[in-house]
Amino acid sequence: MNSSPWWKEATIYQIYPRSFFDSNGDGEGDLPGITSKLDYVKSLGVDAIWLSPFYTSPNKDGGYDVANPRDVDPRFGNLEDARELITQAHRRNLRVIADIVPNHFSDQHEWFQAALKSKRGSKERGRFHFYDANEDGTPPNNWISLFGGPSWTQVEDGQFYLHLFDSTQPDLNWENPEVNADFEKTLRFWIDLGVDGFRIDVAHGLIKEDVLTNHPDPQGLSNALRLDVAMDSDERNALLLTVPYFDRQGVHEIYRKWRKLFDSYTGREIMAVAEAWVHPPVNATRYVRADELHQVFNFDLLTAEFDSDVLFDVVERSISLNATVNALPTWALSNHDSPRVASRIGDEQARALALFVFGLPGSAYVFAGQELGLPDGQLQDSDRQDPTFFRTNGAIKGRDGARVPLPWGGDTKPFGFSTAKPWLPISQSWKDFTIENELADPKSSLHLYKNALELRKEFLVGAGGITWLESSQHGHKSDSLLSYSRGAITVVMNLSDSTKECDAEGKLLIVSGGTVDARDGKKVIPARSTAWFLT
Ligand code: NOJ
């Protein structure tokens, strides 16, 4: 028996339920749709699925506006469908991670509705952040929402409530013990239904400080917190050190309590991964101290350039910082909040980077569609649904491009995703990206992922740390090659636009693109490509 917990070096497949597969012909994916495709998911060689929210929600922020965290939204099915999904996943030895959203509720949650009907100072308002207006009628402070516009919305009696995201997502007051009690109930509810872990949304945001104090540069801060706003990195880093509502010490007390709850399920190995965008990077390690959570997302690869120095720094920093708390890193190239990696850095580069990352110690997260090499969907403004687009009056296009439904098969859009018009349009140009097509093509991105994940399991899971062979600080100091060895495998990535020779020894196991040649005892790695060798 493997004594290592299942999540430690797992590959976890993120499913955005609305975009995965529509089983009932309403143009939106649903839970039975996911269940019906679990054989496909299993065939990828992943260990677990992470489901983005499917709870009762008015869907103002893609389900991250939860109106009832202990029920399923009818657009996705019902609780029986959730139970069946979990049962069928477990039957295939796939673990299930649910997404929990503790920073805020939807304004349609019964607590918020009760707060609206109650007086200032009431118990009902005390579950959120309600404050009086300033004397001049302005909001209690000048914070700007992460989706643009003010962080405060006024209610009928003149009080304001805080929302770091959309105005339909009131922030919860975690100083109020009722809030934690309710979330512990929710955690138990899903664990009892069978889930194996949680992805914790905005895990760094629950505790606020200085709620009545203005920030000296609220717009700068809001820009610094956005991946889609370009900014000088020194300026960004300086601003990120001044966020009054993220990464406060109090959040760790919450996760220590939750850890006890998880561990009370003996024999279950319940895990949790924190979505914590914190600065400086060393702070992320606090979330994975032995008595807190199990993993924390490393978001650096969502924005990193395809550059050997940048990638070396990201990998080295993440491995070494996590080691200080005896944790392993996580790696993610795409998710539902950021541009798809193939669009961001290029198709071949995305394949090369995936193969590079699959060799590393820790957990790899794969966003559904990434295995196909999908680009971002091309959308008209009239198609967009992301609140960011609306709250910035269209200045920021938002995240819908990464959320376009998956193309399953056939020659015409929507490529088997639905029998109806999909909730976001799928372009006819995705014909070559369908799962059916890629399954038939041994050189496809899909086959690369399947083969790589199989080899990862066979040779790399549990193989310990890496030894750098090529970087600007190792080996021949080439700025085109990054290479490490781990266990019996040597991984070489050529980032340049021409072939490069390297000293790697052993038998070629897999290459992300092109053909590896041998010349004068050296291996010749194709441009923009990664290869694994078995020594
Ligand atoms: C992070 C989620 O990933 C994102 O989709 C959501 O909009 C915000 N948190 C607010 O819940």
Side-chain angles (χ1 to χ4, degrees):
M1 210 186 98
N2 188 350
S3 60
S4 183
W6 68 266
W7 45 266
K8 205 135 205 176
E9 295 209 59
T11 305
I12 296 165
Y13 187 68
Q14 181 193 355
I15 293 180
Y16 197 70
R18 209 176 170 201
S19 301
F20 198 63
F21 183 68
D22 173 17
S23 74
N24 63 352
D26 62 1
E28 301 186 46
D30 44 53
L31 298 187
I34 298 171
T35 308
S36 71
K37 296 294 185 187
L38 285 174
D39 285 336
Y40 167 72
V41 175
K42 179 69 187 173
S43 77
L44 297 174
V46 301
D47 305 289
I49 53 174
W50 147 28
L51 300 167
S52 282
F54 49 80
Y55 317 113
T56 317
S57 165
N59 199 27
K60 300 286 187 205
D61 180 24
Y64 285 92
D65 48 319
V66 179
N68 181 354
R70 298 187 284 274
D71 204 353
V72 173
D73 194 280
R75 65 158 43 86
F76 294 121
N78 56 37
L79 274 176
E80 212 26 67
D81 295 324
R83 196 175 279 119
E84 178 65 7
L85 197 175
I86 296 166
T87 306
Q88 290 301 334
H90 287 169
R91 214 162 262 171
R92 291 162 178 80
N93 203 18
L94 287 169
R95 310 280 180 147
V96 179
I97 296 176
D99 209 318
I100 187 160
V101 190
N103 181 66
H104 43 266
F105 275 155
S106 156
D107 61 353
Q108 299 306 307
H109 188 285
E110 59 180 9
W111 276 10
F112 194 73
Q113 288 299 309
L116 289 181
K117 292 189 194 105
S118 304
K119 295 201 176 63
R120 48 165 47 81
S122 61
K123 161 174 165 286
E124 287 78 6
R125 290 216 173 164
R127 294 163 175 154
F128 300 90
H129 295 275
F130 275 91
Y131 288 94
D132 287 334
N134 292 325
E135 268 174 21
D136 62 0
T138 54
N141 73 20
N142 65 357
W143 296 354
I144 291 180
S145 148
L146 275 91
F147 289 166
S151 285
W152 297 91
T153 292
Q154 197 160 28
V155 299
E156 250 177 38
D157 65 9
Q159 279 209 305
F160 282 87
Y161 67 88
L162 175 72
H163 51 87
L164 293 183
F165 296 90
D166 190 47
S167 56
T168 62
Q169 293 167 293
D171 279 48
L172 284 157
N173 173 12
W174 276 83
E175 307 292 341
N176 181 335
E178 264 192 276
V179 173
N180 190 54
D182 190 71
F183 269 88
E184 293 207 351
K185 194 167 162 190
T186 300
L187 293 171
R188 288 187 189 283
F189 179 88
W190 292 105
I191 297 173
D192 294 342
L193 206 87
V195 308
D196 304 284
F198 298 94
R199 178 259 188 192
I200 303 174
D201 188 65
V202 201
H204 54 316
L206 313 194
I207 300 293
K208 278 87 186 169
E209 281 174 11
D210 304 326
V211 175
L212 296 179
T213 310
N214 283 336
H215 188 274
D217 181 7
Q219 188 58 56
L221 180 60
S222 162
N223 292 343
L225 286 163
R226 307 189 58 96
L227 292 185
D228 44 8
V229 177
M231 191 185 270
D232 168 75
S233 66
D234 289 340
E235 189 190 347
R236 171 168 266 142
N237 291 342
L239 281 161
L240 290 178
L241 290 173
T242 68
V243 198
Y245 40 77
F246 283 157
D247 202 26
R248 305 291 97 187
Q249 283 309 308
V251 296
H252 298 289
E253 288 315 309
I254 298 168
Y255 300 131
R256 289 198 176 101
K257 282 194 204 135
W258 287 17
R259 179 59 181 260
K260 288 200 177 103
L261 185 155
F262 299 145
D263 289 350
S264 72
Y265 287 81
T266 45
R268 287 281 302 273
E269 293 185 331
I270 305 296
M271 65 80 81
V273 52
E275 188 218 16
W277 300 81
V278 295
H279 195 80
V282 66
N283 286 12
T285 61
R286 297 185 185 153
Y287 293 76
V288 285
R289 288 178 290 200
D291 58 347
E292 295 196 37
L293 303 174
H294 305 77
Q295 294 181 344
V296 57
F297 279 118
N298 163 14
F299 293 115
D300 295 343
L301 293 177
L302 298 176
T303 50
E305 290 153 50
F306 192 67
D307 171 276
S308 59
D309 283 343
V310 172
L311 293 172
F312 170 74
D313 282 348
V314 167
V315 171
E316 182 59 17
R317 183 172 60 228
S318 190
I319 292 178
S320 55
L321 285 180
N322 276 284
T324 63
V325 286
N326 206 15
L328 288 177
T330 60
W331 310 105
L333 305 187
S334 286
N335 66 23
H336 65 294
D337 289 331
S338 51
R340 283 191 176 273
V341 63
S343 289
R344 198 175 68 73
I345 62 173
D347 171 36
E348 294 167 296
Q349 292 88 336
R351 290 167 63 133
L353 188 57
L355 195 55
F356 187 77
V357 156
F358 288 152
L360 293 170
S363 241
Y365 283 77
V366 174
F367 179 43
Q370 185 189 322
E371 76 277 21
L372 304 172
L374 277 187
D376 283 325
Q378 296 301 312
L379 300 172
Q380 306 294 319
D381 283 354
S382 53
D383 299 323
R384 297 190 190 278
Q385 310 212 8
D386 187 344
T388 317
F389 176 74
F390 299 106
R391 289 186 64 87
T392 60
N393 295 320
I396 292 175
K397 295 297 178 196
R399 301 159 294 177
D400 295 310
R403 300 174 179 180
V404 171
L406 291 201
W408 287 89
D411 292 333
T412 5
K413 58 184 190 175
F415 303 113
F417 163 72
S418 173
T419 51
K421 185 170 176 250
W423 69 280
L424 286 175
I426 308 180
S427 148
Q428 187 56 36
S429 65
W430 280 17
K431 183 165 167 284
D432 294 338
F433 288 104
T434 64
I435 289 159
E436 182 184 36
N437 247 324
E438 295 208 15
L439 279 174
D441 173 7
K443 292 206 166 315
S444 66
S445 175
L446 178 52
H447 277 288
L448 174 74
Y449 271 65
K450 281 160 79 109
N451 295 338
L453 293 179
E454 200 178 312
L455 293 168
R456 170 178 156 90
K457 239 182 216 135
E458 186 177 349
F459 294 107
L460 289 164
V461 169
I466 66 170
T467 304
W468 285 106
L469 302 174
E470 292 283 346
S471 81
S472 56
Q473 300 174 32
H474 304 85
H476 302 292
K477 304 202 182 334
S478 163
D479 57 6
S480 310
L481 289 179
L482 269 188
S483 169
Y484 59 84
S485 71
R486 185 167 179 236
I489 303 292
T490 297
V491 175
V492 190
M493 173 159 67
N494 173 8
L495 293 102
S496 74
D497 291 331
S498 51
T499 55
K500 288 282 167 223
E501 287 182 357
C502 74
D503 292 328
E505 285 175 7
K507 172 183 149 214
L508 177 72
L509 282 184
I510 186 168
V511 58
S512 69
T515 314
V516 175
D517 295 322
R519 190 160 58 215
D520 305 331
K522 304 218 177 227
K523 302 279 186 341
V524 185
I525 312 293
R528 301 173 299 277
S529 187
T530 297
W532 288 9
F533 300 94
L534 175 65
T535 46

